[in-house]
Coordinates of all heavy atoms in Angstrom, one line a residue:
G1 N 10.0 0.2 4.3 CA 10.4 0.1 2.9 C 9.6 1.1 2.0 O 10.2 1.6 1.1
L2 N 8.4 1.3 2.4 CA 7.5 2.2 1.6 C 8.0 3.6 1.7 O 8.0 4.4 0.8 CB 6.1 2.1 2.0 CG 5.1 2.7 1.0 CD1 5.3 2.2 -0.4 CD2 3.7 2.4 1.5
L3 N 8.4 4.0 2.9 CA 8.9 5.4 3.1 C 10.2 5.5 2.4 O 10.5 6.6 1.8 CB 9.2 5.6 4.6 CG 7.9 5.7 5.4 CD1 8.2 5.9 6.9 CD2 7.0 6.9 4.9
L4 N 11.0 4.5 2.2 CA 12.2 4.5 1.4 C 11.9 4.8 -0.1 O 12.6 5.6 -0.8 CB 13.0 3.2 1.6 CG 14.3 3.2 0.9 CD1 15.3 4.3 1.4 CD2 15.0 1.8 1.0
V5 N 10.9 4.1 -0.6 CA 10.4 4.4 -2.0 C 10.0 5.8 -2.2 O 10.4 6.5 -3.2 CB 9.3 3.4 -2.3 CG1 8.7 3.7 -3.7 CG2 9.8 2.0 -2.3
L6 N 9.3 6.3 -1.2 CA 8.8 7.7 -1.3 C 10.0 8.7 -1.2 O 10.1 9.6 -2.0 CB 7.8 8.0 -0.1 CG 7.1 9.3 -0.2 CD1 6.3 9.4 -1.5 CD2 6.2 9.5 1.0
A7 N 10.9 8.4 -0.3 CA 12.2 9.2 -0.3 C 13.0 9.2 -1.5 O 13.6 10.2 -2.0 CB 13.0 8.8 1.0
A8 N 13.0 8.0 -2.2 CA 13.8 7.8 -3.4 C 13.1 8.6 -4.5 O 13.8 9.2 -5.4 CB 13.9 6.4 -3.8
G9 N 11.8 8.7 -4.5 CA 11.1 9.4 -5.5 C 11.3 10.9 -5.3 O 11.5 11.6 -6.3
I10 N 11.4 11.4 -4.1 CA 11.6 12.8 -3.9 C 13.1 13.1 -4.2 O 13.4 14.2 -4.8 CB 11.3 13.2 -2.4 CG1 9.8 13.0 -2.2 CG2 11.8 14.5 -2.0 CD1 9.3 13.2 -0.8
A11 N 14.0 12.2 -3.9 CA 15.4 12.4 -4.3 C 15.6 12.4 -5.8 O 16.4 13.2 -6.3 CB 16.3 11.3 -3.7
M12 N 14.8 11.6 -6.5 CA 14.9 11.6 -7.9 C 14.4 12.9 -8.5 O 15.0 13.4 -9.5 CB 14.1 10.4 -8.5 CG 14.2 10.3 -10.0 SD 13.4 8.8 -10.7 CE 11.7 9.1 -10.4
L13 N 13.4 13.4 -7.9 CA 12.9 14.7 -8.3 C 13.9 15.8 -8.1 O 14.2 16.7 -9.0 CB 11.7 15.2 -7.5 CG 10.3 14.7 -8.0 CD1 9.2 15.1 -7.0 CD2 10.0 15.4 -9.3
M14 N 14.6 15.8 -7.0 CA 15.6 16.8 -6.7 C 16.8 16.7 -7.6 O 17.4 17.7 -8.1 CB 16.1 16.8 -5.2 CG 15.0 17.2 -4.3 SD 15.5 17.3 -2.5 CE 16.5 16.0 -2.2
L15 N 17.3 15.4 -7.9 CA 18.4 15.3 -8.8 C 18.1 15.7 -10.2 O 19.0 16.1 -11.0 CB 18.9 13.8 -8.7 CG 19.5 13.3 -7.5 CD1 19.8 11.8 -7.5 CD2 20.8 14.1 -7.2
A16 N 16.9 15.5 -10.6 CA 16.5 15.8 -12.0 C 15.9 17.2 -12.1 O 15.2 17.5 -13.1 CB 15.5 14.8 -12.5
D17 N 16.2 18.1 -11.2 CA 15.7 19.5 -11.1 C 14.2 19.6 -11.3 O 13.6 20.4 -12.0 CB 16.4 20.3 -12.2 CG 17.9 20.5 -11.9 OD1 18.2 20.6 -10.8 OD2 18.6 20.5 -12.9
Y18 N 13.5 18.6 -10.7 CA 12.0 18.6 -10.7 C 11.4 18.5 -12.0 O 10.3 18.9 -12.2 CB 11.4 19.8 -9.9 CG 11.9 19.8 -8.4 CD1 13.0 20.5 -8.0 CD2 11.2 19.0 -7.5 CE1 13.4 20.5 -6.7 CE2 11.6 19.0 -6.2 CZ 12.7 19.7 -5.8 OH 13.1 19.7 -4.5
S19 N 12.1 18.0 -13.0 CA 11.6 17.8 -14.4 C 10.5 16.7 -14.4 O 9.6 16.7 -15.3 CB 12.7 17.6 -15.3 OG 13.3 16.4 -15.0
F20 N 10.7 15.7 -13.6 CA 9.7 14.6 -13.5 C 8.4 15.0 -13.0 O 7.4 14.3 -13.2 CB 10.2 13.4 -12.8 CG 11.3 12.6 -13.4 CD1 12.5 12.4 -12.8 CD2 11.1 12.1 -14.7 CE1 13.5 11.7 -13.4 CE2 12.2 11.4 -15.3 CZ 13.4 11.2 -14.7
A21 N 8.3 16.0 -12.2 CA 7.1 16.4 -11.5 C 6.0 16.8 -12.5 O 4.8 16.7 -12.1 CB 7.4 17.6 -10.5
A22 N 6.3 17.2 -13.6 CA 5.4 17.6 -14.6 C 4.8 16.4 -15.4 O 3.8 16.6 -16.1 CB 5.9 18.6 -15.6
Q23 N 5.5 15.3 -15.3 CA 5.0 14.1 -16.1 C 4.0 13.3 -15.3 O 4.0 13.1 -14.1 CB 6.2 13.2 -16.4 CG 7.3 13.9 -17.2 CD 8.4 13.0 -17.6 OE1 8.4 11.8 -17.2 NE2 9.3 13.6 -18.3
L24 N 3.0 12.9 -16.1 CA 1.8 12.2 -15.6 C 2.1 10.9 -14.8 O 1.6 10.7 -13.8 CB 0.8 12.0 -16.6 CG -0.5 11.4 -16.2 CD1 -1.3 12.3 -15.2 CD2 -1.4 11.1 -17.4
W25 N 3.0 10.1 -15.4 CA 3.4 8.8 -14.8 C 3.9 9.0 -13.4 O 3.6 8.2 -12.5 CB 4.3 8.0 -15.7 CG 5.7 8.6 -15.8 CD1 6.1 9.5 -16.7 CD2 6.8 8.4 -14.9 NE1 7.4 9.8 -16.5 CE2 7.9 9.1 -15.4 CE3 6.9 7.6 -13.8 CZ2 9.1 9.1 -14.8 CZ3 8.2 7.6 -13.2 CH2 9.3 8.3 -13.7
F26 N 4.7 10.0 -13.2 CA 5.4 10.3 -11.9 C 4.3 10.7 -10.9 O 4.3 10.3 -9.7 CB 6.5 11.3 -12.0 CG 7.3 11.3 -10.8 CD1 8.3 10.4 -10.6 CD2 7.2 12.4 -9.9 CE1 9.1 10.4 -9.4 CE2 8.0 12.4 -8.7 CZ 8.9 11.4 -8.5
Q27 N 3.4 11.6 -11.3 CA 2.4 12.1 -10.4 C 1.5 10.9 -10.0 O 1.1 10.8 -8.8 CB 1.5 13.2 -11.1 CG 2.3 14.4 -11.4 CD 1.6 15.4 -12.3 OE1 0.5 15.1 -12.8 NE2 2.2 16.6 -12.5
I28 N 1.1 10.1 -10.9 CA 0.3 8.9 -10.6 C 1.0 8.0 -9.6 O 0.4 7.4 -8.7 CB -0.2 8.2 -11.9 CG1 -1.1 9.0 -12.7 CG2 -0.8 6.8 -11.5 CD1 -1.4 8.5 -14.1
K29 N 2.3 7.8 -9.9 CA 3.1 6.9 -9.1 C 3.2 7.4 -7.6 O 3.0 6.6 -6.7 CB 4.5 6.8 -9.6 CG 5.5 6.0 -8.8 CD 6.9 6.0 -9.4 CE 7.9 5.4 -8.5 NZ 9.2 5.4 -9.1
L30 N 3.3 8.7 -7.4 CA 3.4 9.2 -6.1 C 2.0 9.1 -5.4 O 1.9 8.8 -4.2 CB 3.9 10.7 -6.1 CG 5.4 10.8 -6.3 CD1 5.7 12.3 -6.3 CD2 6.2 10.1 -5.4
V31 N 1.0 9.3 -6.1 CA -0.4 9.1 -5.5 C -0.6 7.7 -5.1 O -1.2 7.4 -4.0 CB -1.5 9.6 -6.5 CG1 -2.9 9.2 -6.1 CG2 -1.4 11.1 -6.7
V32 N -0.2 6.7 -6.0 CA -0.3 5.3 -5.6 C 0.5 4.9 -4.4 O 0.0 4.2 -3.5 CB 0.0 4.4 -6.8 CG1 0.1 2.9 -6.4 CG2 -1.0 4.6 -7.9
I33 N 1.7 5.5 -4.3 CA 2.5 5.3 -3.1 C 1.8 5.8 -1.8 O 1.8 5.2 -0.8 CB 3.9 5.8 -3.3 CG1 4.7 5.0 -4.3 CG2 4.7 5.8 -2.0 CD1 6.0 5.6 -4.7
L34 N 1.2 6.9 -1.9 CA 0.4 7.5 -0.8 C -0.8 6.6 -0.5 O -1.1 6.4 0.7 CB 0.0 8.9 -1.1 CG 1.2 9.9 -1.1 CD1 0.6 11.3 -1.5 CD2 1.9 10.0 0.2
L35 N -1.4 6.1 -1.5 CA -2.5 5.1 -1.3 C -2.0 3.9 -0.5 O -2.7 3.3 0.3 CB -3.2 4.7 -2.6 CG -4.1 5.7 -3.2 CD1 -4.5 5.3 -4.6 CD2 -5.3 6.0 -2.4
L36 N -0.8 3.4 -0.9 CA -0.2 2.3 -0.1 C -0.1 2.6 1.3 O -0.4 1.8 2.2 CB 1.1 1.9 -0.7 CG 1.1 1.0 -2.0 CD1 2.5 1.1 -2.6 CD2 0.7 -0.3 -1.7
L37 N 0.4 3.8 1.6 CA 0.6 4.2 3.0 C -0.8 4.3 3.7 O -0.9 3.8 4.9 CB 1.3 5.5 3.1 CG 2.8 5.6 2.9 CD1 3.3 7.0 2.8 CD2 3.4 4.9 4.1
V38 N -1.7 4.9 3.1 CA -3.1 5.0 3.7 C -3.7 3.7 3.9 O -4.3 3.4 5.0 CB -4.0 5.9 2.8 CG1 -5.4 5.9 3.3 CG2 -3.5 7.4 2.9
N39 N -3.6 2.8 2.9 CA -4.2 1.4 3.1 C -3.5 0.7 4.2 O -4.1 -0.1 4.9 CB -4.1 0.7 1.8 CG -4.9 -0.6 1.7 OD1 -5.9 -0.7 2.4 ND2 -4.3 -1.6 1.0
G40 N -2.2 0.8 4.3 CA -1.5 0.1 5.4 C -1.8 0.6 6.8 O -2.0 -0.2 7.7
F41 N -2.0 1.9 6.9 CA -2.4 2.5 8.2 C -3.8 2.3 8.5 O -4.2 2.3 9.7 CB -2.0 3.9 8.3 CG -0.6 4.2 8.5 CD1 0.1 4.9 7.5 CD2 0.1 3.6 9.5 CE1 1.5 5.2 7.7 CE2 1.5 3.9 9.7 CZ 2.1 4.6 8.8
T42 N -4.7 2.1 7.6 CA -6.2 1.9 7.9 C -6.5 0.4 8.0 O -6.7 -0.1 9.0 CB -7.0 2.6 6.9 OG1 -6.7 2.2 5.6 CG2 -6.8 4.1 7.0
S43 N -6.5 -0.2 6.8 CA -6.9 -1.6 6.7 C -5.9 -2.5 7.4 O -6.3 -3.5 8.2 CB -7.1 -2.1 5.3 OG -8.0 -1.3 4.6
G44 N -4.7 -2.3 7.2 CA -3.6 -3.2 7.8 C -3.6 -3.1 9.3 O -3.5 -4.1 10.0
R45 N -3.7 -1.9 9.8 CA -3.7 -1.7 11.2 C -4.9 -2.3 11.9 O -4.8 -2.9 13.0 CB -3.6 -0.2 11.5 CG -3.6 0.2 13.0 CD -2.3 -0.2 13.7 NE -2.4 0.1 15.0 CZ -1.7 -0.6 16.0 NH1 -0.9 -1.6 15.6 NH2 -1.8 -0.3 17.2
S46 N -6.1 -2.1 11.3 CA -7.3 -2.7 12.0 C -7.3 -4.2 12.0 O -7.7 -4.9 12.9 CB -8.6 -2.2 11.3 OG -8.6 -2.6 9.9
A47 N -6.7 -4.8 10.9 CA -6.6 -6.2 10.8 C -5.6 -6.7 11.9 O -5.8 -7.8 12.5 CB -6.1 -6.7 9.4
A48 N -4.5 -6.0 12.1 CA -3.5 -6.4 13.1 C -4.1 -6.3 14.5 O -3.8 -7.2 15.3 CB -2.3 -5.5 12.9
V49 N -4.8 -5.3 14.7 CA -5.5 -5.2 16.1 C -6.5 -6.3 16.3 O -6.5 -6.9 17.4 CB -6.2 -3.8 16.2 CG1 -7.1 -3.7 17.4 CG2 -5.1 -2.7 16.2
R50 N -7.2 -6.6 15.3 CA -8.2 -7.7 15.4 C -7.4 -9.1 15.6 O -7.9 -9.9 16.4 CB -9.1 -7.9 14.3 CG -10.2 -6.8 14.3 CD -11.3 -7.0 13.3 NE -10.8 -7.5 12.0 CZ -11.3 -7.1 10.9 NH1 -12.3 -6.2 10.8 NH2 -10.8 -7.5 9.7
L51 N -6.3 -9.2 14.9 CA -5.5 -10.5 15.1 C -5.0 -10.6 16.5 O -5.0 -11.6 17.1 CB -4.4 -10.5 14.0 CG -3.5 -11.7 14.0 CD1 -4.3 -13.0 13.8 CD2 -2.4 -11.5 13.0
Q52 N -4.5 -9.5 17.0 CA -4.0 -9.5 18.4 C -5.1 -9.8 19.4 O -4.8 -10.6 20.3 CB -3.4 -8.1 18.7 CG -2.0 -7.9 18.1 CD -1.4 -6.5 18.5 OE1 -2.2 -5.7 18.9 NE2 -0.1 -6.4 18.4
S53 N -6.2 -9.3 19.2 CA -7.3 -9.6 20.2 C -7.8 -11.0 20.0 O -8.1 -11.7 21.0 CB -8.5 -8.7 20.0 OG -9.2 -8.9 18.8
L54 N -7.7 -11.6 18.8 CA -8.1 -13.0 18.6 C -7.0 -13.9 19.2 O -7.4 -14.9 19.8 CB -8.2 -13.3 17.1 CG -8.6 -14.6 16.7 CD1 -10.1 -14.9 17.1 CD2 -8.5 -14.8 15.2
L55 N -5.8 -13.6 19.1 CA -4.7 -14.4 19.7 C -4.7 -14.3 21.2 O -4.2 -15.2 21.8 CB -3.4 -14.0 19.1 CG -3.2 -14.3 17.6 CD1 -1.8 -13.8 17.1 CD2 -3.3 -15.8 17.4
S56 N -5.2 -13.2 21.8 CA -5.2 -13.1 23.2 C -6.2 -14.0 23.8 O -6.2 -14.3 25.0 CB -5.4 -11.7 23.6 OG -6.7 -11.3 23.3
G57 N -7.2 -14.5 23.0 CA -8.2 -15.4 23.5 C -9.4 -14.8 24.2 O -10.1 -15.4 24.9
S58 N -9.6 -13.5 23.9 CA -10.7 -12.8 24.6 C -12.0 -12.9 23.8 O -13.0 -12.3 24.2 CB -10.3 -11.3 24.8 OG -10.1 -10.7 23.5
N59 N -12.0 -13.6 22.7 CA -13.2 -13.7 21.9 C -13.9 -15.0 22.2 O -13.3 -16.1 22.3 CB -12.8 -13.7 20.4 CG -14.0 -13.4 19.5 OD1 -15.1 -13.5 19.9 ND2 -13.7 -13.1 18.2
S60 N -15.2 -15.0 22.2 CA -16.0 -16.2 22.5 C -16.4 -17.0 21.3 O -16.8 -18.1 21.4 CB -17.2 -15.9 23.3 OG -18.1 -15.0 22.5
Y61 N -16.2 -16.4 20.1 CA -16.6 -17.1 18.8 C -15.3 -17.0 17.9 O -15.3 -16.3 16.9 CB -17.7 -16.4 18.1 CG -19.0 -16.4 19.0 CD1 -19.4 -15.2 19.6 CD2 -19.7 -17.5 19.2 CE1 -20.5 -15.2 20.3 CE2 -20.9 -17.6 19.9 CZ -21.3 -16.4 20.5 OH -22.4 -16.3 21.3
P62 N -14.3 -17.8 18.2 CA -13.0 -17.7 17.4 C -13.1 -18.2 16.0 O -12.5 -17.6 15.1 CB -12.0 -18.5 18.3 CG -12.8 -19.4 19.0 CD -14.2 -18.8 19.3
D63 N -13.9 -19.2 15.7 CA -14.0 -19.7 14.4 C -14.6 -18.7 13.4 O -14.1 -18.5 12.3 CB -14.8 -21.1 14.3 CG -14.1 -22.2 15.1 OD1 -12.8 -22.1 15.2 OD2 -14.8 -23.1 15.5
Q64 N -15.7 -18.1 13.8 CA -16.3 -17.1 13.0 C -15.5 -15.9 12.8 O -15.4 -15.3 11.7 CB -17.7 -16.7 13.6 CG -18.5 -15.8 12.8 CD -19.8 -15.5 13.4 OE1 -20.0 -15.6 14.7 NE2 -20.8 -15.0 12.7
E65 N -14.8 -15.5 13.9 CA -13.9 -14.3 13.8 C -12.7 -14.6 12.9 O -12.2 -13.7 12.2 CB -13.5 -13.9 15.2 CG -12.7 -12.7 15.2 CD -13.5 -11.4 14.9 OE1 -14.7 -11.4 15.0 OE2 -12.8 -10.4 14.4
V66 N -12.2 -15.8 12.9 CA -11.1 -16.2 12.1 C -11.4 -16.1 10.6 O -10.6 -15.6 9.8 CB -10.6 -17.6 12.4 CG1 -9.6 -18.2 11.4 CG2 -10.0 -17.7 13.8
V67 N -12.6 -16.5 10.2 CA -13.1 -16.4 8.9 C -13.2 -14.9 8.4 O -12.7 -14.6 7.3 CB -14.4 -17.1 8.6 CG1 -15.0 -16.9 7.3 CG2 -14.3 -18.6 8.9
V68 N -13.7 -14.1 9.2 CA -13.9 -12.7 8.9 C -12.5 -12.0 8.8 O -12.2 -11.2 7.9 CB -14.7 -12.0 10.0 CG1 -14.7 -10.5 9.8 CG2 -16.1 -12.5 10.0
L69 N -11.6 -12.3 9.8 CA -10.3 -11.8 9.8 C -9.5 -12.3 8.5 O -8.8 -11.5 7.9 CB -9.5 -12.2 11.0 CG -8.1 -11.6 11.2 CD1 -8.1 -10.1 11.2 CD2 -7.5 -12.1 12.5
R70 N -9.6 -13.6 8.2 CA -8.9 -14.1 7.0 C -9.4 -13.4 5.8 O -8.5 -13.0 4.9 CB -9.2 -15.6 6.9 CG -8.4 -16.2 5.8 CD -8.7 -17.7 5.6 NE -8.5 -18.4 6.8 CZ -9.2 -19.4 7.2 NH1 -10.2 -19.8 6.5 NH2 -9.0 -20.0 8.4
N71 N -10.6 -13.1 5.6 CA -11.2 -12.4 4.4 C -10.7 -11.0 4.4 O -10.3 -10.4 3.3 CB -12.7 -12.5 4.4 CG -13.2 -13.9 4.1 OD1 -12.5 -14.7 3.5 ND2 -14.4 -14.2 4.5
S72 N -10.7 -10.3 5.6 CA -10.2 -9.0 5.6 C -8.7 -8.9 5.3 O -8.3 -8.0 4.5 CB -10.4 -8.4 7.1 OG -9.8 -7.2 7.2
M73 N -7.9 -9.8 5.8 CA -6.5 -9.8 5.4 C -6.2 -10.1 4.0 O -5.3 -9.5 3.4 CB -5.7 -10.7 6.4 CG -5.7 -10.2 7.8 SD -4.6 -11.1 8.9 CE -3.1 -10.4 8.5
K74 N -7.0 -11.0 3.4 CA -6.9 -11.3 2.0 C -7.1 -10.1 1.1 O -6.4 -9.8 0.2 CB -7.8 -12.4 1.6 CG -7.3 -13.8 1.9 CD -8.3 -14.9 1.4 CE -7.9 -16.2 1.8 NZ -8.8 -17.3 1.4
R75 N -8.2 -9.3 1.5 CA -8.5 -8.1 0.8 C -7.4 -7.1 0.9 O -7.0 -6.4 -0.1 CB -9.9 -7.5 1.2 CG -11.1 -8.2 0.7 CD -12.3 -7.4 1.0 NE -12.5 -7.1 2.4 CZ -13.1 -7.8 3.3 NH1 -13.7 -9.0 3.0 NH2 -13.2 -7.4 4.6
F76 N -6.9 -6.9 2.1 CA -5.8 -6.0 2.4 C -4.6 -6.3 1.6 O -4.0 -5.5 0.9 CB -5.5 -5.9 3.8 CG -4.2 -5.2 4.2 CD1 -4.1 -3.8 4.0 CD2 -3.1 -6.0 4.6 CE1 -2.9 -3.2 4.3 CE2 -1.9 -5.3 4.9 CZ -1.8 -3.9 4.7
Q77 N -4.2 -7.6 1.6 CA -2.9 -8.0 0.9 C -3.1 -8.0 -0.6 O -2.2 -7.6 -1.3 CB -2.6 -9.4 1.4 CG -2.1 -9.5 2.8 CD -1.9 -10.9 3.4 OE1 -2.3 -11.8 2.8 NE2 -1.2 -11.0 4.5
T78 N -4.3 -8.3 -1.1 CA -4.5 -8.1 -2.5 C -4.5 -6.7 -3.0 O -3.8 -6.4 -4.0 CB -5.9 -8.8 -2.9 OG1 -5.9 -10.1 -2.5 CG2 -6.2 -8.7 -4.4
A79 N -5.1 -5.8 -2.2 CA -5.0 -4.4 -2.5 C -3.6 -3.9 -2.5 O -3.1 -3.2 -3.4 CB -5.9 -3.6 -1.6
Q80 N -2.8 -4.3 -1.5 CA -1.4 -3.8 -1.4 C -0.6 -4.4 -2.6 O 0.2 -3.7 -3.2 CB -0.8 -4.3 -0.1 CG -1.3 -3.7 1.1 CD -0.9 -2.2 1.2 OE1 -1.5 -1.3 0.7 NE2 0.2 -2.0 1.9
L81 N -0.8 -5.6 -3.0 CA -0.1 -6.3 -4.1 C -0.4 -5.6 -5.4 O 0.5 -5.3 -6.2 CB -0.4 -7.8 -4.2 CG 0.3 -8.5 -5.3 CD1 1.8 -8.5 -5.1 CD2 -0.2 -10.0 -5.4
I82 N -1.7 -5.2 -5.6 CA -2.1 -4.5 -6.9 C -1.4 -3.2 -6.9 O -0.9 -2.7 -7.9 CB -3.6 -4.5 -6.9 CG1 -4.2 -5.9 -7.3 CG2 -4.0 -3.5 -8.0 CD1 -5.7 -6.0 -7.1
L83 N -1.5 -2.5 -5.7 CA -0.8 -1.1 -5.7 C 0.6 -1.2 -6.0 O 1.2 -0.3 -6.7 CB -1.2 -0.4 -4.4 CG -2.7 0.0 -4.2 CD1 -2.9 0.5 -2.8 CD2 -3.0 1.0 -5.3
F84 N 1.3 -2.1 -5.4 CA 2.8 -2.3 -5.6 C 3.1 -2.6 -7.1 O 4.0 -2.1 -7.7 CB 3.4 -3.4 -4.7 CG 3.8 -2.9 -3.4 CD1 3.3 -3.5 -2.3 CD2 4.8 -2.0 -3.2 CE1 3.7 -3.1 -1.0 CE2 5.2 -1.5 -2.0 CZ 4.6 -2.1 -0.9
A85 N 2.2 -3.5 -7.7 CA 2.4 -3.8 -9.1 C 2.2 -2.5 -10.0 O 2.9 -2.3 -10.9 CB 1.4 -4.9 -9.5
I86 N 1.3 -1.7 -9.6 CA 1.1 -0.5 -10.4 C 2.3 0.5 -10.3 O 2.7 1.1 -11.2 CB -0.2 0.3 -9.9 CG1 -1.5 -0.5 -10.3 CG2 -0.3 1.7 -10.4 CD1 -2.8 0.0 -9.7
V87 N 2.9 0.5 -9.1 CA 4.1 1.3 -8.9 C 5.2 0.8 -9.8 O 5.9 1.6 -10.4 CB 4.5 1.4 -7.4 CG1 5.9 2.0 -7.2 CG2 3.5 2.2 -6.6
V88 N 5.4 -0.5 -9.8 CA 6.5 -1.1 -10.6 C 6.2 -0.8 -12.1 O 7.1 -0.4 -12.8 CB 6.6 -2.6 -10.3 CG1 7.5 -3.3 -11.3 CG2 7.1 -2.8 -8.9
V89 N 5.0 -1.0 -12.5 CA 4.6 -0.8 -14.0 C 4.9 0.7 -14.3 O 5.4 1.0 -15.4 CB 3.2 -1.3 -14.3 CG1 2.7 -0.7 -15.6 CG2 3.1 -2.8 -14.2
L90 N 4.5 1.6 -13.4 CA 4.7 3.0 -13.8 C 6.2 3.4 -13.8 O 6.5 4.2 -14.5 CB 3.9 3.9 -12.7 CG 2.4 3.9 -12.9 CD1 1.8 4.6 -11.7 CD2 2.0 4.6 -14.2
S91 N 6.9 2.7 -12.9 CA 8.4 2.9 -12.9 C 9.1 2.4 -14.2 O 10.0 3.0 -14.7 CB 9.0 2.3 -11.7 OG 8.5 2.9 -10.5
V92 N 8.6 1.3 -14.7 CA 9.3 0.7 -15.8 C 8.8 1.3 -17.2 O 9.6 1.6 -18.0 CB 9.0 -0.8 -15.9 CG1 9.5 -1.5 -17.2 CG2 9.6 -1.5 -14.7
F93 N 7.5 1.5 -17.3 CA 6.9 2.0 -18.5 C 6.5 3.4 -18.3 O 5.3 3.7 -17.9 CB 5.7 1.2 -18.9 CG 6.0 -0.3 -19.2 CD1 5.6 -1.2 -18.3 CD2 6.7 -0.7 -20.3 CE1 5.8 -2.6 -18.5 CE2 7.0 -2.0 -20.5 CZ 6.6 -2.9 -19.6
R94 N 7.4 4.3 -18.5 CA 7.1 5.7 -18.3 C 6.4 6.3 -19.6 O 6.8 6.1 -20.7 CB 8.4 6.5 -18.1 CG 9.1 6.0 -16.9 CD 10.4 6.7 -16.7 NE 11.1 6.2 -15.5 CZ 12.4 6.3 -15.3 NH1 13.1 6.9 -16.1 NH2 12.8 5.8 -14.2
F95 N 5.3 7.0 -19.3 CA 4.5 7.6 -20.4 C 4.3 9.1 -20.1 O 4.5 9.6 -19.0 CB 3.2 6.9 -20.6 CG 2.4 7.0 -19.4 CD1 1.5 8.0 -19.1 CD2 2.4 5.9 -18.4 CE1 0.6 8.0 -18.0 CE2 1.6 6.0 -17.3 CZ 0.7 7.0 -17.1
S96 N 3.9 9.8 -21.0 CA 3.8 11.2 -20.9 C 2.3 11.6 -20.8 O 1.4 11.0 -21.4 CB 4.4 12.0 -22.0 OG 5.8 11.8 -22.0

């Protein structure tokens, strides 16, 4: 879905003859979308790998690891939600 948003932004640039590229709100929006991708591939991927290892039962201290994983996933999801909200706000309230 995020790649679709990025593709839509690039398509919007092409349709508008790249006039949005000079506007600050659009530049910030594209940077935030790239931050979403980076956050998903770093924090999200590491949390998913830890969750898979926890579910496989190879950990000897599951309760402690569950608390750490839960906190990590809460931070990741909160960061993603804030970044998505910033993208929506930048899309709705365009400024120069």
Side-chain angles (χ1 to χ4, degrees):
L2 192 54
L3 292 175
L4 183 63
V5 170
L6 191 58
I10 293 170
M12 185 171 68
L13 270 176
M14 292 187 320
L15 289 173
D17 294 326
Y18 297 95
S19 62
F20 288 125
Q23 296 184 1
L24 182 62
W25 68 269
F26 191 78
Q27 294 170 355
I28 294 172
K29 178 182 169 183
L30 287 181
V31 168
V32 172
I33 289 172
L34 290 176
L35 285 174
L36 279 166
L37 282 170
V38 169
N39 190 32
F41 283 120
T42 56
S43 299
R45 179 70 181 150
S46 66
V49 167
R50 286 194 314 222
L51 181 62
Q52 283 180 340
S53 70
L54 185 67
L55 291 176
S56 69
S58 62
N59 195 346
S60 59
Y61 302 104
D63 293 335
Q64 186 179 19
E65 185 67 25
V66 167
V67 172
V68 172
L69 182 61
R70 184 182 307 142
N71 291 337
S72 174
M73 292 189 80
K74 280 182 184 178
R75 282 191 306 270
F76 166 71
Q77 291 172 345
T78 303
Q80 291 290 89
L81 182 63
I82 289 170
L83 290 172
F84 273 120
I86 290 171
V87 168
V88 169
V89 167
L90 287 172
S91 297
V92 173
F93 301 108
R94 298 175 180 163
F95 59 90
S96 297

